[in-house]
Amino acid sequence: MNREFIKKLCEETHACVRILEGPIGTNDRIVLISAKEEPDLEISPAMDAFLRVFKHVNDISYGTGGSTDQIAAYFTACSVWLLVASQQAINLIGKQGSSIKSIQESTDATIRVISGA
């Protein structure tokens, strides 16, 4: 992602996007996206920016819209790494894994939570 893309993305979504170094020994980068919540919007500024980054990284035309069905049509397999604060990971997993299991069943996705410890 070049600086022009990130600048335009921030202007259009009102999200803050930062590119950080990834883990030592990898070529990966961390894309940190944050924004003030806007309850009146259909999609939050941070999620809008996330979807645009996802499309950009995977070379998906911006004309395809934001629906997961349209995005999924482009891939037979896709992998996304999402960095989540440890206190939020508890909510993702749910009591005895109930939340993550429900998400996996409703989306046919495989979700793994990898501890940094």
Side-chain angles (χ1 to χ4, degrees), residues 17-54:
V17 179
R18 293 176 47 206
I19 309 296
L20 308 174
E21 293 294 320
I24 296 172
T26 70
N27 290 329
D28 295 340
R29 299 290 178 263
I30 297 169
V31 179
L32 181 62
I33 301 172
S34 60
K36 180 181 173 192
E37 286 300 313
E38 299 285 343
D40 296 338
L41 296 177
E42 182 178 336
I43 185 170
S44 72
M47 183 55 71
D48 185 16
F50 170 79
L51 290 171
R52 292 178 190 215
V53 167
F54 180 86

Side-chain angles (χ1 to χ4, degrees):
M1 287 183 285
N2 61 37
R3 290 180 189 208
E4 292 81 24
F5 171 77
I6 294 172
K7 182 179 177 183
K8 181 179 177 186
L9 177 70
C10 293
E11 289 171 358
E12 291 178 357
T13 64
H14 303 287
C16 176
V17 179
R18 293 176 47 206
I19 309 296
L20 308 174
E21 293 294 320
I24 296 172
T26 70
N27 290 329
D28 295 340
R29 299 290 178 263
I30 297 169
V31 179
L32 181 62
I33 301 172
S34 60
K36 180 181 173 192
E37 286 300 313
E38 299 285 343
D40 296 338
L41 296 177
E42 182 178 336
I43 185 170
S44 72
M47 183 55 71
D48 185 16
F50 170 79
L51 290 171
R52 292 178 190 215
V53 167
F54 180 86
K55 289 177 179 184
H56 183 78
V57 168
N58 289 286
D59 198 26
I60 299 173
S61 165
Y62 287 101
T64 60
S67 85
T68 53
D69 290 341
Q70 291 170 324
I71 293 171
Y74 282 85
F75 301 99
T76 56
C78 178
S79 178
V80 175
W81 289 76
L82 182 63
L83 182 63
V84 177
S86 59
Q87 58 268 41
Q88 293 174 328
I90 294 167
N91 294 329
L92 170 64
I93 296 167
K95 191 172 186 175
Q96 297 180 338
S98 62
S99 295
I100 201 165
K101 183 177 181 183
S102 174
I103 294 168
Q104 290 183 108
E105 288 174 350
S106 66
T107 63
D108 289 329
T110 300
I111 302 172
R112 293 186 343 184
V113 177
I114 301 169
S115 172

